[in-house]
Amino acid sequence: MSAISIVLSVVVVIAALFLICTVLLQSGKNSGVAGSLSGGSDTFLSKNKNSTWDAKLARITKWVAFAFMFVVLVLSLV
């Protein structure tokens, strides 16, 4: 194995662990029939979710997932 392959393999493992952590830190979504039956209604405070911790985790999860896929593709070509 070359040095680049080893470095990329380490980056893949770190990205995978970080992706697992960000997914597990997100809260569940109460939507659909289950959310309406349990009383989860939209209020004024719930409509402004762009700056909440869950929104930040969702954005981080997307970027880490894209980076993970990119590094795996590069690793498969090396």
Side-chain angles (χ1 to χ4, degrees):
M1 285 182 83
S2 66
I4 295 173
S5 298
I6 294 171
V7 169
L8 288 176
S9 297
V10 170
V11 170
V12 165
V13 170
I14 291 171
L17 292 174
F18 192 69
L19 187 62
I20 290 169
C21 291
T22 56
V23 168
L24 288 177
L25 284 173
Q26 292 180 10
S27 63
K29 306 282 189 243
N30 288 333
S31 62
V33 176
S36 64
L37 291 177
S38 65
S41 63
D42 287 335
T43 63
F44 175 72
L45 295 175
S46 69
K47 291 184 186 225
N48 193 10
K49 291 187 176 181
N50 288 335
S51 61
T52 62
W53 179 247
D54 285 331
K56 291 177 185 174
L57 277 175
R59 272 186 256 127
I60 291 170
T61 303
K62 287 178 202 172
W63 285 107
V64 172
F66 288 137
F68 176 79
M69 289 187 295
F70 178 74
V71 173
V72 168
L73 286 173
V74 170
L75 186 61
S76 69
L77 294 175
V78 170

